[in-house]
């Protein structure tokens, strides 16, 4: 029963319980007694502290576990949440915060090429970014990949990766657990200069280079390793992988003489990669399976962004043209 919650959820819930306990003690209120008005006052305190709607919902979930009741179904709690939605509506940017085409173009040239001579740090970042953008997987999943068979198998036209058996995804279900990650080749037998340049974005090629060059310092079965420092060869943490993805985007912008975006999240690779795939005729079913979204609603509500709006602009252009005809 103690393992029913993932470690990250338990840590978050314990932090909220401690906060609620401290708040009750400061007001001389009984901590263990379930009282809806008191819980509403605690949630209102969160609003005064500028918590977002998502954070308020986590507090409700944590207190529901504490009091063993589904607080979210209580009429007063539901009304409170509706009020929060009105005064603090969730916002998601309709456009990407960075240009995927620019980053991919930068990966074709120094400091990300040629793979045989660039630093191991740059090689690691390039391979990580290509796997992240072509698979639309979370950083937690990327950190659970392995270089050993059968968790990484190279085929003629693709590479298939699996997370380690000990890894638990964000949602533990038959659909989400141990799904394979398939990354394809790109122009594996280039015939001209254009294909030779595109081949530099071949994820399978990048993985082969990385596995081969990391053999001499590898000290972990994890795929992505720390390339420098006293812990060289050990597995890179989730936080480190996220930082590397952001650094890759930043370096790509600088190499193209562009100012890097002010705020980039590693998690954005899921939205950018999936949205670009949709614009290039990938089916929604293919996208949801690749990114392990069990519902199309998840993609459309939280991840689909406008990567190309010229078609939509055509409508307004037609309207304006009608004025001068």
């Amino acid at each position: 029963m103690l393992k029913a919650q993932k470690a990250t959820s338990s840590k978050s819930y314990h932090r909220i319980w401690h906060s609620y306990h401290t708040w009750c003690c400061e007001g001389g209120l009984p901590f263990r007694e379930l009282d809806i008005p008191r819980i509403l006052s605690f949630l209102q305190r969160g609003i005064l502290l500028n918590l977002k709607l998502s954070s308020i919902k986590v507090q409700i979930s944590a207190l529901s576990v504490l009091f063993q009741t589904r607080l979210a179904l209580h009429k007063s709690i539901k009304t409170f949440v509706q009020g929060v939605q009105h005064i603090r509506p969730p916002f998601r940017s309709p456009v990407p915060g960075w240009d995927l085409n620019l980053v991919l173009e930068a990966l074709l040239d120094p400091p990300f090429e040629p793979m045989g001579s660039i630093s191991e740090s740059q090689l690691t970042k390039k391979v990580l970014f290509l796997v992240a953008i072509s698979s639309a997987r979370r950083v937690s999943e990327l950190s659970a990949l392995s270089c050993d068979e059968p968790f990484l198998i190279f085929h003629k036209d693709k590479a298939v990766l699996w997370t380690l058996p000990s890894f638990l995804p964000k949602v533990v279900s038959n659909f989400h657990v141990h799904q394979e990650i398939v990354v394809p080749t790109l122009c594996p037998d280039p015939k001209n200069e254009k294909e030779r340049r595109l081949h530099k974005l071949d994820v399978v090629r990048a993985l082969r280079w990385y596995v081969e060059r990391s053999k001499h310092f590898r000290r972990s079965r994890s795929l992505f390793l720390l390339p420098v420092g006293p812990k060289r060869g050990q597995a890179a943490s989730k936080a480190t992988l996220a930082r590397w993805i952001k650094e890759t985007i930043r370096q790509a912008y600088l190499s193209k003489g562009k100012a890097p975006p002010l705020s980039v999240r590693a998690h954005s690779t899921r939205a950018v990669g999936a949205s670009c795939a949709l614009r290039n005729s990938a089916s929604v079913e293919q996208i949801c399976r690749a990114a392990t979204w069990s519902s199309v609603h998840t993609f459309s509500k939280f991840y689909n962004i406008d990567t190309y709006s010229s078609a939509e602009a055509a409508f307004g252009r037609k309207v304006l043209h009608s004025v001068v005809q």
Side-chain angles (χ1 to χ4, degrees), residues 131-142 161 163 176 178-182 245 266-267 269-270 289-292:
V131 173
I133 202 69
S134 60
S135 67
R137 294 305 180 94
R138 298 176 181 276
V139 169
S140 59
E141 293 174 275
L142 300 180
L161 302 99
T163 55
H176 296 90
H178 302 317
Q179 263 208 19
E180 64 181 11
I181 300 174
V182 181
I245 290 174
H267 194 68
T269 54
R270 280 167 63 80
R289 176 164 181 80
T292 62

Side-chain angles (χ1 to χ4, degrees), residues 147 149 152-160 183 203-209 211:
C147 66
E149 291 190 0
L152 171 58
I153 300 177
F154 290 105
H155 298 273
K156 184 178 180 180
D157 60 340
K158 62 185 177 183
V160 181
V183 291
V203 192
V204 178
R205 164 186 176 262
L207 280 169
R208 288 185 184 277
W209 268 110
V211 171

